[in-house]
Structures are given as structure tokens and as C-alpha cells.
Amino acid sequence: MAFARRRGILVLVPSAAFLLMLLYLWNTDSAPLAPSRYLAGGGTVLHQPVQDWQPRPEFAFWSQVPQHYPPSAVRGLPRGKPVRFPRVQAAKFPAEASGTRRRQLRERRAAVKRTMARCWGAYRKHAWLADEVTPVSGGPKNPFGGWGATLVDALDTLWIMGMRAEFREAVDAAETGINFTTTNIRDVNIFETNIRYLGGFLAAFDLSGDVRLLRKAAEVGEMLYKAFDTPNHMPITRWDWQSAARGHKQEAPGSVLLAEIGSLSMEFTRLSMLTGEPKWFDAVQRIAEAMAAQQDDTSLPGLWPLAVNARSAVFNEGTLFPLGAMADSAYEYLPKMAALLGGLLPVYRTMYEKAMDAALRHNLFRPMNPTGEDILVAGQVRVEGKGRYSLEPQGQHLACFMGGLMALGGRLFDRPVDMDAAVGLVNGCIWAYKSFPHGIMAETFYAVPCNKSSPDARAVEDLPCRWDEDAWKLEVLRKAGRDAQGKDAAALAAAADAVIANHRLPQGFTAIPDRRYILRPEAIESVFVLYRVTGAEELLDVAWDMFTAIEKATATELANSEVRDVTSPEKPKPADSMESFWLGETLKYFYLIFSEPDLISLDEFVFNTEAHPFRRLVA
Ligand SMILES: *[C@@H]1O[C@H](CO)[C@@H](O)[C@H](O)[C@H]1NC(C)=O
């Protein structure tokens, strides 16, 4: 944060901050603020943990269940002086210099806030303390344990948008109304519980300093920790909590998804940093060590396969290597752990760099497109034999996080090649949004990779990428399972045109296996990160186009809803579902991109995969 600042300025900064804080305290009815020792910069949090974080006795069930396999030694949090990373955010934001632009941005964030207020109001009225409100029928729904997923996911968004009365009401309700001792689901999804609930409480605490939120975080943390009570200390990612609660012994499963085991690190580490209790950090550090030890040994060295074996801690058997669904945040958390821990554990940077080198070489591809735009999509790779890789040119909305991630990693570790790829990837998602009739991309699609002849060629190399209508149509037929043998060109074109019309394929797209838009954040997330990193003003208009398109296609009377088919010529039909990430992530990123760049600066905070900002340890 203090990058390249002269000393005189540094002295001014705290006093200015202090005055602002006074003004702020005077002007708002805020929740109680934390003692300054853990609000002021991250530099002291490792050594001065927060007191009184323990769950209250009536919620202390999980901390009292005996452990069958207590670790013989617990790794402590790393100590020492944090690395001084390069500045992540741009030095200049041209948009901030124009009064007209600033007024426009104020209106845009007010529009985002109106949507937030409408959705929050619907949740409060129709589904208070349930996981979700159904945005068409107006009822409660509990797919995530019934612990108020939307409420917890939205806490920091409410804080950031200045909805302090709503925030306080939600914290009061969470304190006594959410009970992690019990749920009516059979298996607890450890990953989802971690990123939404633990992440949500931690970030809301990091922003507000209200210690009740840290206690709730510790309650979730105590429950999740029990899922690690296995002979080899690897977690059970879909966890039979009742059996554990009864004291039965448990073992980690043979096959778990990479994302579900690899994306626990940030939340567990932040919880240890804030409480001073190292057991959570110890638990996730064991996973990182297993990943690091086997990273060079997979069939696509640098990347880990989609499914790994937790029971035997084998992470290098398997042949499918996606960056999107089921793998994504395992990669996302590598540079973010480096940022969170002030670079004190170099293994995270090393793992990130190896993974990105492999992804650049194998997964990223240029989709052929009618206007010849220089863009990238993150595909998946199947290993067919030693050194034989086949690229599956699939695009996923989920994989749109990669642009933002490579922008962050490119800045933190000074890797220009990652920055270039980040721009290509973000533009790839923008292209996909613009290609569809409502201005919103589908969940998944296939495209034609330009460099098809050599799938393992570096995708970011300067390969010719001219639009070839016939090549596109042939690929459409192939994807549709049509035989192109012995047909003349005119017959082929006619057959392809029929498929294109039938499946409503935009130019350049060869198939759309999943036509939904489920209010996901990844595209705006990456546009937001790239904006903060580059200051590029045109991204503000891109974001606004995305927001207005999404609002138009998904708004219901009550809230916003997942839609079934973004290729539909009319307004897409709602699916009566609004996942908590709409308030927790999507609206937060829209609000932040239209806000001043120092609101949740990427030099002070790092976002978990559910868009919950944690304070970074900074030099
Ligand atoms: C939480 O749920 C458990 C199990 O139903 C119950 O025994 C306990 O009293 C509850 N705690 C509170 C504070 O409601």
C-alpha cells in the first residue's frame, strides 16, 4: 500500500484517515468498531490476535466434540516481515479526473444499489434467515444447510454499499438465529460452507470489526475443522455431519474435486490470523503441501487433475485438466494466498507460476470470431497419452474468473505474459456477452480454436486467426454429430445453417450445451479486477452494458432470477432461483467498479472466491 511513497506522505496518511474516521463516526450509525490494532493495516494481525473470538457456550458444540486423530504437530502461522509486493492497482484512473464521468458513476452505482435494496427487501420479507428467496414465487429455499446463506453472503455487500441499518439488523439476526450445530441436509458441502459462510463472516468482520462476526466465523470454523478429523488429516468434502456429531470415526474419500479440496486455504488461514489459533492454518497447509509435492508429476505438469484422491493424498492421477468448473478456485487461491500472507510462504507463488505456465501453453486458446478480435478463452485439456494433449475448446461462464486472476498474479509477481493473457481473457468474456442476443453469455459454449493444428502451441503466440465461415460451419456439423463425408459444399452449408438456426448459435459458436444464465459474477469480477489494475476507462462502459443487460433479462417483481435460455428471442424465462452469490458477488463487483478505486483497494484486500474481501498482510 505504501509502494513508492515518500516518508512525508506516509505521515500524512494516518492523520487523514483518522479525520475521515471521525467524520464517519459522527455521520453514521455504524456497528461497533474494532480496536485499532487489527483495523489498522494488516501488519500486526499475526502477532496480536483478537480476544474473545471463541463461540459462545450455547453454540460451542463442535469445539467440544472429541477428535479421533489430533495432529501430532500443528504448523504455526509463518512469521517475519511481509514481502513488499508491487502495487496491484493502477497509479492513474482517468475516469476520476472528469466531473461528468464521476456524476455518471454515482448514478450507475445508485442503480446497482437499488437492485440490491430490492433483492434484499424480498429476502427479508419472504425468506428471512433461509438460504435463498425464490424470486418469482417469493418463498424460502434451503440448499446450503439452512443457515441463512443469502444473509451471510450479503453482509459485506450491505456494509460496502452503506446500508448500515440493514447490516446491523442482519448481524443481530445471525448472532442468535444461525446455529451450526444442526441442519436438515444429510451431507454438508465443506467447500460451499467455507466460501459462503466462513468467508462471509470473516470479511464482514474485517470491514466492520464487530467481534460477534468473528465468533460466528469461529463457529463455522469449528464445524468445518471436524471434517478434517481423518487418519491422514485430509478433509471429507461432502461430509456426513450427523455421523461425525455422534462421534463416529471417519475417513477422507477416494475421489474429491480439486476445487473442493484446494479452495479452503484463504478462509482457514484468515481465521487463524485473526484468532491466533493455528489449527485451521495447519489443516489447509497440509493440502497445499500435498499439492506442491505432486505438481510436477501429473500427466499435465503444472496443473492438477479434476479429481484427486483425498484418502491417500494422491493428487497426480487423472487425465482431465479444466480451469473452470470443479477446478477453478484451487488455482485462484494460489496467488491470493501469497497476497493474504504477505508472501511469507513462497510455495504459493511457485505453484501459481507453474500452473499458469502450463495453462498458457495448453489451456488458453483463441476462438475464431467474425470480427477477428484478439481474444482468449480458457479451455480444458485431456491427456491422451504421454505428451499427447487434446484441447477441448469449451468456454464457461465460471472460467471467466481467469482474466481477473491473471491480472492479479501478473501484477503481484511481475509477469507481463500473464497481464497480456488477462486482457485477452477478459476480452474473450466481453465478446461472449456481446455475441448473445440479450448481451449475456451462456453457462457453457464451444468455439473453434484458431490454432487447432497444434493444440499445445502457446495460445498467446501471434497466430493468424482469420474468420473462416466454412471452417466454422464444418465444426458446427461435427459438434452436432453430423457426417460431412461425401456431401458437396452447398449441401454441407445448408445442413450447417439448419443446425445454426435450430440451436440459435451466434457466429463463432459451435454448440451451447448449457443455455442458462444463473446470475453468476465471474465476467464482471474480471472486468472489475482489470479495471482496478489498468484504470482503463472503457471497462466502465463494458460493465454498465453488462449490468443493464442482466437487469433487463433477469429482474422479477421481487428480485432477480436465474434465466433458462439466453439465446431465446424473447425475454428469457425465469427459473425462480436466486443464489446467494448474486448479492454476495455479482452486485458487489458491479457496485465497486462504479465506486472510487480506493473503496476495497486491491492493495489492501484480497477477495475470496465468493467475493469476500480479506485484509492482506502488508509490509
Ligand atoms: C442449536 O441446535 C442444537 C441442536 O438442535 C440445540 O441443542 C441447541 O440448543 C441450539 N442452540 C441454540 C443457541 O439455539
Coordinates of all heavy atoms in Angstrom, one line a residue, residues 23-59:
L23 N -15.1 11.8 11.1 CA -16.2 12.3 10.3 C -17.3 11.2 10.1 O -18.5 11.4 10.3 CB -15.8 12.7 8.9 CG -15.5 14.2 8.7 CD1 -15.0 14.4 7.3 CD2 -16.8 15.0 9.0
Y24 N -16.7 10.1 9.9 CA -17.6 8.9 9.6 C -18.4 8.5 10.8 O -19.6 8.2 10.8 CB -16.7 7.8 9.0 CG -17.3 6.5 9.1 CD1 -18.1 6.1 8.0 CD2 -17.0 5.6 10.1 CE1 -18.7 4.8 8.1 CE2 -17.5 4.4 10.1 CZ -18.4 4.0 9.1 OH -19.0 2.8 9.2
L25 N -17.7 8.5 11.9 CA -18.3 8.0 13.2 C -19.4 9.0 13.5 O -20.5 8.7 14.1 CB -17.3 8.0 14.3 CG -16.4 6.8 14.3 CD1 -15.3 6.9 15.3 CD2 -17.2 5.5 14.5
W26 N -19.1 10.3 13.2 CA -20.1 11.3 13.5 C -21.3 11.2 12.7 O -22.4 11.5 13.1 CB -19.3 12.6 13.3 CG -20.0 13.9 13.7 CD1 -20.7 14.1 14.9 CD2 -20.2 15.0 12.9 NE1 -21.2 15.3 14.9 CE2 -21.0 15.9 13.7 CE3 -19.8 15.4 11.7 CZ2 -21.3 17.2 13.2 CZ3 -20.2 16.6 11.2 CH2 -20.9 17.5 12.0
N27 N -21.1 10.8 11.4 CA -22.2 10.8 10.4 C -23.0 9.5 10.3 O -24.1 9.6 9.7 CB -21.6 11.0 9.0 CG -21.4 12.5 8.8 OD1 -22.2 13.3 9.1 ND2 -20.2 12.8 8.2
T28 N -22.5 8.4 10.8 CA -23.3 7.2 10.6 C -23.6 6.5 11.9 O -22.9 6.7 12.9 CB -22.5 6.2 9.7 OG1 -21.3 5.8 10.5 CG2 -22.1 6.8 8.4
D29 N -24.6 5.7 11.8 CA -24.9 4.9 13.0 C -24.3 3.5 12.8 O -24.9 2.5 12.6 CB -26.4 4.8 13.0 CG -27.0 4.3 11.7 OD1 -26.3 4.3 10.7 OD2 -28.2 4.0 11.7
S30 N -23.0 3.5 12.8 CA -22.3 2.3 12.5 C -22.3 1.2 13.6 O -22.6 1.6 14.7 CB -20.8 2.5 12.1 OG -20.2 3.0 13.3
A31 N -22.0 0.0 13.2 CA -21.9 -1.0 14.2 C -20.6 -0.7 15.0 O -19.8 0.0 14.6 CB -21.7 -2.4 13.5
P32 N -20.4 -1.4 16.2 CA -19.2 -1.1 17.0 C -18.0 -1.3 16.2 O -17.9 -2.3 15.5 CB -19.4 -2.0 18.1 CG -20.5 -3.0 17.8 CD -21.3 -2.3 16.8
L33 N -17.0 -0.5 16.3 CA -15.8 -0.7 15.6 C -14.8 -1.4 16.4 O -14.8 -1.3 17.6 CB -15.2 0.7 15.2 CG -15.9 1.4 14.1 CD1 -15.4 2.8 13.9 CD2 -15.7 0.7 12.8
A34 N -13.9 -2.1 15.7 CA -12.9 -2.9 16.4 C -11.8 -2.0 17.0 O -11.6 -0.9 16.5 CB -12.3 -3.9 15.5
P35 N -11.1 -2.5 18.0 CA -9.9 -1.8 18.4 C -9.0 -1.6 17.2 O -8.9 -2.5 16.4 CB -9.3 -2.7 19.5 CG -10.4 -3.7 19.9 CD -11.3 -3.7 18.7
S36 N -8.3 -0.5 17.2 CA -7.5 -0.2 16.0 C -6.4 -1.2 15.8 O -5.9 -1.3 14.7 CB -6.9 1.2 16.2 OG -6.1 1.2 17.3
R37 N -6.0 -2.0 16.7 CA -4.9 -2.8 16.5 C -5.1 -3.8 15.4 O -4.1 -4.3 14.7 CB -4.4 -3.6 17.8 CG -5.4 -4.6 18.2 CD -4.7 -5.5 19.3 NE -5.7 -6.5 19.7 CZ -6.7 -6.4 20.5 NH1 -6.9 -5.2 21.0 NH2 -7.5 -7.4 20.7
Y38 N -6.3 -4.2 15.1 CA -6.4 -5.1 13.9 C -7.2 -4.4 12.8 O -7.4 -5.0 11.8 CB -7.0 -6.4 14.3 CG -8.3 -6.4 15.1 CD1 -9.5 -6.2 14.5 CD2 -8.2 -6.6 16.5 CE1 -10.7 -6.2 15.3 CE2 -9.3 -6.6 17.2 CZ -10.6 -6.4 16.6 OH -11.7 -6.4 17.4
L39 N -7.6 -3.2 13.0 CA -8.2 -2.5 11.8 C -7.1 -1.8 11.1 O -7.1 -1.6 9.9 CB -9.2 -1.5 12.3 CG -10.6 -2.0 12.4 CD1 -11.6 -0.9 12.8 CD2 -11.1 -2.7 11.1
A40 N -6.1 -1.3 11.8 CA -5.0 -0.5 11.2 C -4.0 -1.4 10.5 O -3.2 -2.1 11.1 CB -4.3 0.3 12.3
G41 N -4.2 -1.5 9.2 CA -3.2 -2.3 8.4 C -3.2 -3.7 8.8 O -3.7 -4.1 9.9
G42 N -2.7 -4.6 8.0 CA -2.7 -6.0 8.3 C -1.4 -6.4 9.1 O -1.3 -7.5 9.6
G43 N -0.4 -5.5 9.2 CA 0.9 -5.8 9.6 C 1.0 -6.4 11.0 O 1.9 -7.1 11.3
T44 N 0.0 -6.2 11.8 CA 0.1 -6.6 13.2 C -0.8 -7.9 13.5 O -0.7 -8.4 14.6 CB -0.3 -5.5 14.1 OG1 -1.6 -5.1 13.8 CG2 0.6 -4.4 14.0
V45 N -1.6 -8.2 12.6 CA -2.6 -9.2 12.9 C -2.1 -10.6 13.3 O -2.6 -11.3 14.1 CB -3.7 -9.4 11.8 CG1 -4.6 -8.2 11.7 CG2 -3.0 -9.8 10.5
L46 N -0.9 -11.0 12.8 CA -0.4 -12.3 13.1 C 0.0 -12.3 14.6 O -0.1 -13.4 15.2 CB 0.9 -12.6 12.3 CG 0.6 -13.0 10.8 CD1 1.8 -13.5 10.2 CD2 -0.5 -14.1 10.8
H47 N 0.5 -11.2 15.1 CA 1.1 -11.3 16.4 C 0.1 -10.7 17.5 O 0.3 -10.9 18.6 CB 2.4 -10.5 16.4 CG 3.3 -10.9 15.3 ND1 3.9 -12.2 15.3 CD2 3.6 -10.3 14.1 CE1 4.6 -12.3 14.2 NE2 4.4 -11.2 13.5
Q48 N -0.9 -10.1 17.0 CA -1.9 -9.6 18.0 C -3.3 -10.1 17.7 O -4.1 -9.3 17.1 CB -1.9 -8.1 18.0 CG -0.7 -7.5 18.8 CD -0.7 -6.0 18.8 OE1 -0.4 -5.4 17.8 NE2 -1.2 -5.4 19.9
P49 N -3.6 -11.3 17.9 CA -4.9 -11.8 17.6 C -6.0 -11.1 18.4 O -5.7 -10.5 19.4 CB -4.8 -13.3 17.9 CG -3.6 -13.4 18.8 CD -2.7 -12.3 18.5
V50 N -7.2 -11.2 17.9 CA -8.4 -10.7 18.5 C -8.7 -11.5 19.8 O -8.6 -12.7 19.7 CB -9.5 -10.7 17.5 CG1 -10.8 -10.1 18.2 CG2 -9.2 -9.9 16.3
Q51 N -9.1 -10.9 20.8 CA -9.5 -11.6 22.0 C -11.0 -12.0 21.9 O -11.7 -11.4 21.0 CB -9.4 -10.7 23.3 CG -8.0 -10.2 23.5 CD -6.9 -11.3 23.6 OE1 -7.2 -12.3 24.4 NE2 -5.8 -11.3 22.9
D52 N -11.5 -12.8 22.7 CA -12.9 -13.1 22.8 C -13.6 -13.6 21.5 O -14.7 -13.3 21.2 CB -13.7 -11.9 23.3 CG -13.2 -11.3 24.5 OD1 -12.7 -12.0 25.4 OD2 -13.2 -10.0 24.6
W53 N -12.8 -14.3 20.7 CA -13.4 -14.8 19.5 C -14.1 -16.1 19.6 O -14.8 -16.6 18.7 CB -12.3 -15.0 18.4 CG -11.2 -15.9 18.9 CD1 -10.0 -15.6 19.5 CD2 -11.1 -17.3 18.8 NE1 -9.2 -16.7 19.8 CE2 -9.9 -17.8 19.4 CE3 -12.0 -18.3 18.3 CZ2 -9.6 -19.1 19.4 CZ3 -11.7 -19.6 18.3 CH2 -10.5 -20.0 18.9
Q54 N -13.9 -16.8 20.8 CA -14.5 -18.1 21.0 C -16.0 -18.1 20.8 O -16.7 -17.2 21.3 CB -14.1 -18.7 22.3 CG -12.7 -19.3 22.4 CD -11.7 -18.2 22.7 OE1 -12.0 -17.0 22.9 NE2 -10.4 -18.5 22.8
P55 N -16.6 -19.2 20.2 CA -18.0 -19.3 20.1 C -18.6 -19.2 21.5 O -18.0 -19.7 22.5 CB -18.3 -20.6 19.5 CG -17.0 -21.0 18.8 CD -15.9 -20.3 19.6
R56 N -19.8 -18.6 21.6 CA -20.5 -18.6 22.9 C -20.9 -20.0 23.3 O -21.1 -20.8 22.5 CB -21.7 -17.6 22.8 CG -21.2 -16.2 22.6 CD -22.2 -15.1 22.7 NE -23.6 -15.6 22.8 CZ -24.6 -14.7 22.7 NH1 -24.4 -13.5 22.4 NH2 -25.8 -15.2 22.9
P57 N -21.0 -20.2 24.6 CA -21.2 -21.6 25.1 C -22.4 -22.3 24.4 O -22.3 -23.5 24.1 CB -21.5 -21.4 26.6 CG -20.9 -20.1 27.0 CD -20.9 -19.3 25.7
E58 N -23.5 -21.5 24.2 CA -24.7 -22.2 23.6 C -24.4 -22.6 22.1 O -25.3 -23.2 21.5 CB -25.9 -21.3 23.8 CG -25.9 -20.0 23.0 CD -25.3 -18.8 23.8 OE1 -24.4 -19.1 24.6 OE2 -25.8 -17.7 23.6
F59 N -23.3 -22.1 21.5 CA -23.0 -22.5 20.2 C -21.7 -23.3 20.0 O -21.2 -23.4 19.0 CB -22.9 -21.3 19.3 CG -24.3 -20.6 19.0 CD1 -24.5 -19.3 19.5 CD2 -25.2 -21.2 18.3 CE1 -25.7 -18.7 19.3 CE2 -26.5 -20.6 18.1 CZ -26.7 -19.4 18.5

